[in-house]
Amino acid sequence: MRKQTEPGNYNQFCPVAMAAEIVCSKWTPLVLRELLAGSARFNDLRRGVPKMSPTLLSKRLKELEQAGVISAHKKTPGGVAEYKLTPAGEDLRDTIMSLGIWGQRWIESSLSLKNLDPSLLMWDMRRNIVPTLIPNRKCSVQFTYPELPANRNTWWLVIDGRDVDLCSVDPGFDVDLYVSSTLRSMTAVWMGHTTLKAEIAAGQVQLTGDKAIARSIHTWLGLSPFATEKTRLAS
Amino acid sequence: MRKQTEPGNYNQFCPVAMAAEIVCSKWTPLVLRELLAGSARFNDLRRGVPKMSPTLLSKRLKELEQAGVISAHKKTPGGVAEYKLTPAGEDLRDTIMSLGIWGQRWIESSLSLKNLDPSLLMWDMRRNIVPTLIPNRKCSVQFTYPELPANRNTWWLVIDGRDVDLCSVDPGFDVDLYVSSTLRSMTAVWMGHTTLKAEIAAGQVQLTGDKAIARSIHTWLGLSPFATEKTRLAS
DNA sequence: CAGTATCCGATGCGATACTG
DNA sequence: CAGTATCGCATCGGATACTG
């Protein structure tokens, strides 16, 4: 017997219902966020949604392709798929941004800061580094979160021209700038809940190494796309 | 033992993730749509999401209240609750609209029109009637969908001043205008995929009764909030 | 690296019935 | 009318291991 109501289907003609079936299934807004941010390959997407199982990510990508939101393009047969947003997918940018802006405005920062994740933070930060604003064309910045277990508390950003690489194991380059911080403070800075300057003054963030790179960090260390949106919560 | 990952929780600090937890659980976008459209009472909300079980609606309303999106207000103790959007909830209007606009732009109308529901259509239409544009201050309009089973194929809109009532059983008033249509055509008109004029010309919609009311129907019969948004699908 | 296959458990949700 | 209580199933999705 055929099922009457397919799961996840609202069976309403209203465009909100039709769109929600595609956009609002579990994890999908986050996958879309990652696609909109520019990730195109499977494991890049995974880094943006690390708690999602690969099985489910695979399923969601197929669904989004089926819905016409993305297209999976293989350069060579049997090669690696690149997931690109179609025009319809690109047109979801405002919708997803609207969701994030609302979250930034109305959700207590203390709630967000319960969900700390250094690798996710570093992955997000990597994407917004502005290499052209760093005094050196090539340089290496080491981030350390001393309170975390030793095997997961250090990351390196390796900048070379326009490229920014994130490493979780020491790539071996000379480090130009050392950043040491509590994870909570660095996350709060990234989200725009506080400023680097304030956290440095409070002793929550320390910079050591190249003075020029350190001095300009507030220019080249990009923040979250939502960082400029002010909270509307009564404080 | 406490569960590590609460269901529906992404545990990501990103505002998109935090917002999606609140806004994108199952049925929630539709409940919000109904609240934004002005429904405030439990059974009015149910009419907008008829396929949702009352248990789940009740649960969602509590969650939305907990999240600060709505407030449940009882005029008298033990009386009827009115669910009102808070400022945070009202601020979701653009987000939900954005979702609907995207759906209207990018989802095949043939897909939406697989999900016909006369009571939902009438409920939506009722809300957008513009009484002041009807020649008579008081009048009654009967809608019939002849292809449907006899016990569910007729509705009455009873207009009295600023009030518009929807009845699924004959309220007994003299009918000023009779509208007879296929359900598909009337839904397509409501959604803006075609026009009343075209459907009348094609014999899909018939109007009989008061000439003045019939002539002005395209003014007082409001359409879906998304009807003016043009499709972006290649046709 | 880029996914897929399989398994299984939790839980979300629907159906129904009930109460103030 | 406005919900709540209970039940049981389906399904969703997590974990793990595997393959080209």
Side-chain angles (χ1 to χ4, degrees):
Chain A
M1 173 178 164
R2 271 194 58 202
K3 49 190 166 184
Q4 296 292 335
T5 56
E6 293 176 34
N9 281 20
Y10 299 124
N11 298 307
Q12 286 194 196
F13 54 81
C14 169
V16 174
M18 301 297 294
E21 287 184 12
I22 295 169
V23 175
C24 296
S25 54
K26 196 173 179 188
W27 288 106
T28 304
L30 304 196
V31 173
L32 288 169
R33 169 188 174 277
E34 198 62 20
L35 286 161
L36 287 161
S39 291
R41 299 198 358 215
F42 195 82
N43 276 359
D44 283 350
L45 290 166
R46 286 198 69 185
R47 299 179 83 166
V49 280
K51 303 218 175 109
M52 185 183 191
S53 74
T55 310
L56 187 55
L57 176 56
S58 176
K59 185 179 170 204
R60 287 287 181 268
L61 289 170
K62 289 199 191 325
E63 290 166 355
L64 288 172
E65 187 180 13
Q66 172 65 22
V69 172
I70 62 176
S71 62
H73 186 72
K74 299 201 179 192
K75 305 217 163 180
T76 67
V80 183
E82 299 228 317
Y83 302 96
K84 299 283 206 177
L85 292 161
T86 62
E90 184 56 42
D91 195 41
L92 279 168
R93 187 177 294 278
D94 287 351
T95 308
I96 300 298
M97 282 297 289
S98 171
L99 206 55
I101 288 169
W102 184 86
Q104 183 83 0
R105 283 181 183 161
W106 295 104
I107 292 173
E108 299 271 0
S109 60
S110 60
L111 255 56
S112 302
L113 293 174
K114 281 194 184 0
N115 301 320
L116 302 176
D117 180 333
S119 59
L120 192 51
L121 174 65
M122 295 308 299
W123 178 244
D124 278 344
M125 282 177 45
R126 185 206 70 100
R127 191 156 42 213
N128 285 269
I129 298 291
V130 188
T132 54
L133 295 179
I134 303 181
N136 304 20
R137 210 188 85 87
K138 300 175 73 158
C139 77
S140 178
V141 183
Q142 176 184 315
F143 286 75
T144 303
Y145 303 103
E147 82 269 27
L148 300 183
N151 58 333
R152 288 232 325 157
N153 73 354
T154 309
W155 274 262
W156 293 263
L157 288 175
V158 179
I159 293 100
D160 184 354
R162 309 185 61 81
D163 295 334
V164 184
D165 275 349
L166 172 64
C167 307
S168 60
V169 294
D170 189 346
F173 297 108
D174 286 345
V175 171
D176 299 280
L177 181 69
Y178 294 86
V179 182
S180 178
S181 167
T182 62
L183 178 54
R184 186 186 171 92
S185 284
M186 190 54 74
T187 304
V189 167
W190 159 258
M191 296 193 69
H193 294 144
T194 179
T195 64
L196 204 44
K197 190 174 173 184
E199 294 304 301
I200 291 171
Q204 297 293 96
V205 175
Q206 281 115 33
L207 306 181
T208 51
D210 185 296
K211 302 285 188 200
I213 299 178
R215 213 178 307 115
S216 60
I217 187 170
H218 64 279
T219 67
W220 56 261
L221 184 75
L223 301 185
S224 154
F226 306 107
T228 55
E229 190 65 35
K230 288 210 178 59
T231 182
R232 302 208 177 171
L233 291 163
S235 62
Chain B
M1 174 176 164
R2 270 194 60 200
K3 50 191 165 186
Q4 295 292 335
T5 58
E6 293 177 33
N9 280 22
Y10 299 121
N11 297 307
Q12 285 193 198
F13 55 81
C14 168
V16 174
M18 301 297 294
E21 287 183 13
I22 295 169
V23 174
C24 295
S25 53
K26 194 172 181 189
W27 288 106
T28 305
L30 304 195
V31 173
L32 288 169
R33 169 188 174 276
E34 198 62 19
L35 286 160
L36 287 161
S39 290
R41 299 199 356 215
F42 194 82
N43 276 359
D44 284 349
L45 290 166
R46 287 199 68 184
R47 299 180 81 167
V49 279
K51 304 217 174 106
M52 185 183 191
S53 74
T55 309
L56 186 55
L57 175 56
S58 176
K59 186 179 169 204
R60 286 287 181 268
L61 289 170
K62 289 200 191 322
E63 289 166 356
L64 289 172
E65 188 180 11
Q66 172 65 22
V69 172
I70 62 176
S71 62
H73 186 72
K74 299 202 179 192
K75 305 215 165 183
T76 67
V80 183
E82 299 228 319
Y83 302 96
K84 299 284 206 177
L85 292 160
T86 61
E90 184 57 41
D91 196 41
L92 279 168
R93 185 177 296 277
D94 288 351
T95 308
I96 299 298
M97 283 297 290
S98 172
L99 206 56
I101 288 169
W102 185 87
Q104 183 84 358
R105 283 180 182 162
W106 296 104
I107 292 174
E108 299 272 359
S109 61
S110 60
L111 254 56
S112 302
L113 293 174
K114 281 195 185 356
N115 301 320
L116 302 177
D117 180 332
S119 58
L120 192 49
L121 175 64
M122 295 306 299
W123 178 243
D124 278 344
M125 284 177 48
R126 184 205 71 99
R127 190 158 39 213
N128 284 269
I129 300 291
V130 187
T132 53
L133 296 179
I134 303 179
N136 303 19
R137 211 188 83 87
K138 298 175 74 158
C139 78
S140 178
V141 182
Q142 177 184 313
F143 286 76
T144 304
Y145 303 103
E147 81 270 27
L148 300 183
N151 59 333
R152 286 233 325 159
N153 72 356
T154 310
W155 274 262
W156 292 263
L157 288 175
V158 179
I159 292 102
D160 184 354
R162 311 185 60 82
D163 295 335
V164 184
D165 275 350
L166 171 64
C167 307
S168 60
V169 295
D170 189 346
F173 297 109
D174 287 344
V175 171
D176 299 279
L177 180 70
Y178 294 86
V179 181
S180 179
S181 166
T182 61
L183 178 55
R184 186 186 171 91
S185 284
M186 189 54 72
T187 305
V189 168
W190 159 257
M191 295 193 69
H193 295 144
T194 179
T195 63
L196 205 44
K197 190 174 174 184
E199 295 304 300
I200 291 171
Q204 296 292 96
V205 175
Q206 281 113 34
L207 307 181
T208 51
D210 186 296
K211 303 284 189 200
I213 298 177
R215 212 179 307 116
S216 60
I217 186 171
H218 64 277
T219 67
W220 56 261
L221 185 74
L223 301 185
S224 152
F226 306 108
T228 55
E229 190 65 35
K230 290 209 178 59
T231 182
R232 301 207 177 172
L233 291 163
S235 66

